[in-house]
Amino acid sequence: MTYLHNIGTYFLMIAEMFRKPTKWTVMKQLILKDIDDLIIGSLGIVAFISFFVGGVVTIQTALNIDNPLIPKYLVGFATRQSIILEFAPTFMSIIMAGKVGSFITSSIGTMRVTEQIDALEVMGINSINYLVFPKFISMLLYPFIISIAMFLGILGGMAACVYGGFSSIEDYITGIQTDFETFHVVYAFIKTFVFAFVLATIPSFHGYYMKGGALEVGKASTTSFVWTSVVIIILNYFLTQILLS
């Protein structure tokens, strides 16, 4: 029953998020701050992880293709498919659930502990719209992060392939271009928009409705990361089944 109660409360929070909006002059500043915290602040870790994971995918693919009859360009092909279809949109979102999700939960949870949310309610402000809606809008730029992850993942694979001596740069580029389907990129960005909504709302839910003190803020951050990751993996399964089947 607790799970059903939380699910119902979550959807009621989403509905409340669009009701009684905060003044645009105030909301604009909140959105810009969240873009800086959630999007721009995540570029460094995304670039670092994407580049080296792309290199690892290429190395593992090249080492497992030891048959001389298999063309070398398949290394680039396999790297492109792995990065675009799964790593960039899905596994990067799980990583971001740890960074962005924990930040959202802890920041809102701290406001709950210090009774700042109660103060907003007393002033007649829709606290859910004030706190959650700017994060939802800022996460609409999340596909920009994923596009960078795709590019740097493939670039990291190219660097590992060439400097590791597994294949030539011409073969790698040929593999990237082989049987390229535009819909695969569309599929990845559809998943990205869905995951962006999850990353903005589930951590906000756990931060907004948490109870207790400073210790419970840490527990809420851990819980939000777990449930955000679970929901992303489940949605990834259903979206893949719907869009690619």
Side-chain angles (χ1 to χ4, degrees):
M1 291 301 293
T2 302
Y3 291 139
L4 293 176
H5 175 268
N6 289 338
I7 291 172
T9 306
Y10 170 74
F11 284 107
L12 288 174
M13 183 198 77
I14 293 174
E16 186 71 15
M17 181 174 67
F18 297 100
R19 192 183 68 84
K20 193 182 176 183
T22 307
K23 290 194 303 182
W24 172 245
T25 53
V26 177
M27 182 61 67
K28 180 176 67 174
Q29 298 299 320
L30 295 173
I31 292 173
L32 291 176
K33 182 180 184 303
D34 282 331
I35 289 175
D36 183 53
D37 291 334
L38 305 180
I39 303 298
I40 298 176
S42 302
L43 289 176
I45 187 68
V46 168
F48 178 81
I49 293 175
S50 300
F51 185 85
F52 284 99
V53 169
V56 170
V57 170
T58 297
I59 292 172
Q60 291 183 348
T61 303
L63 291 177
N64 283 282
I65 299 178
D66 54 0
N67 192 324
L69 298 178
I70 299 177
K72 291 294 185 181
Y73 71 79
L74 285 181
V75 175
F77 174 80
T79 301
R80 184 200 72 200
Q81 294 296 91
S82 300
I83 296 294
I84 291 179
L85 292 178
E86 281 306 314
F87 168 73
T90 303
F91 292 100
M92 188 56 69
S93 294
I94 294 175
I95 294 170
M96 293 294 283
K99 183 187 184 302
V100 171
S102 297
F103 174 81
I104 292 174
T105 302
S106 60
S107 60
I108 296 179
T110 301
M111 293 184 69
R112 172 64 73 185
V113 169
T114 56
E115 300 181 350
Q116 295 180 55
I117 295 178
D118 297 330
L120 291 173
E121 296 286 351
V122 169
M123 290 187 292
I125 298 173
N126 181 356
S127 58
I128 293 179
N129 176 266
Y130 184 88
L131 296 172
V132 182
F133 188 73
K135 294 171 176 55
F136 164 69
I137 295 298
S138 64
M139 288 302 289
L140 292 178
L141 295 176
Y142 183 58
F144 171 69
I145 287 182
I146 298 304
S147 63
I148 292 177
M150 291 178 182
F151 172 74
L152 290 178
I154 293 174
L155 184 66
M158 180 185 295
C161 189
V162 174
Y163 290 108
F166 300 108
S167 176
S168 66
I169 189 170
E170 291 80 10
D171 286 338
Y172 187 85
I173 294 176
T174 300
I176 293 174
Q177 297 173 339
T178 301
D179 293 334
F180 177 74
E181 292 188 26
T182 307
F183 182 73
H184 286 170
V185 178
V186 176
Y187 155 79
F189 281 117
I190 290 174
K191 291 203 302 183
T192 300
F193 276 112
V194 175
F195 297 159
F197 181 80
V198 171
L199 286 169
T201 54
I202 291 182
S204 296
F205 168 80
H206 283 92
Y208 188 86
Y209 291 103
M210 65 146 292
K211 297 178 181 179
L215 181 61
E216 281 70 25
V217 173
K219 292 181 179 179
S221 298
T222 302
T223 304
S224 74
F225 167 70
V226 171
W227 281 109
T228 303
S229 302
V230 168
V231 171
I232 286 174
I233 291 172
I234 293 174
L235 289 175
N236 180 54
Y237 173 81
F238 286 106
L239 288 170
T240 302
Q241 183 72 26
I242 292 170
L243 297 173
L244 294 185
S245 61

